Amino acid sequence: GAGKASHYISLTRLDTAGRIVLDGKQFSVEGTSWMDHEFFSHQLEGDQAGWDWFSLQLADHSELMLFRLRRKGGSVDPFSAGTFVDPQGHTRHLAAGDFTVTPGKTWTSPATGGRYPVEWTIEVPSIGFKASLHTPMAQQELTGSSRTGTSYWEGAIDVDAMRLGRPLTGVGYLEMTGY
């Protein structure tokens, strides 16, 4: 809307190495990371209930980022959008009408009572893409702080997909609010 903005910068295939200390034990780690940062000028509108944000790193070295803003009445906000990055690094903007995200099985938080979809189907017909997403661990909710009161489900997802008639796997990250 007028006078409002949300801008993202994403670095989708960063080489990553480090160590994790867990229960006094050290583990060396290496792999690929996705760094994302948003700059925005406002919060959700009064008729918006929350959002679902997907970042997918696919085995063919393509990436897909989609976000769906949900309205309180159940419809999808037309400002929902995404970006497809092909294996050569070329980007393609995706408007709300270019993709569908359909929730499946849910997990209910024992802390907040929120019912979060932990399985999803994504379709992007213009790139010949259809995927099933699921999480390896349903309990990934971050409960609201005393300052904001907002709870999020944020966590790892696995991807089983078809693109242009070929099987494709991947991993990703899912963020959900407003459940």
Side-chain angles (χ1 to χ4, degrees), residues 53-56 140 142 154-157 171-175:
W53 182 82
F54 306 85
S55 62
L56 310 181
Q140 297 185 73
L142 304 172
E154 292 193 35
I157 52 175
V171 294
Y173 195 78
L174 170 59
E175 176 184 295

Side-chain angles (χ1 to χ4, degrees), residues 9 27 94 97 113 123 127 134 141 151:
I9 182 170
F27 301 90
L94 300 169
E123 295 186 62
I127 61 170
H134 62 278
E141 182 185 44
S151 294

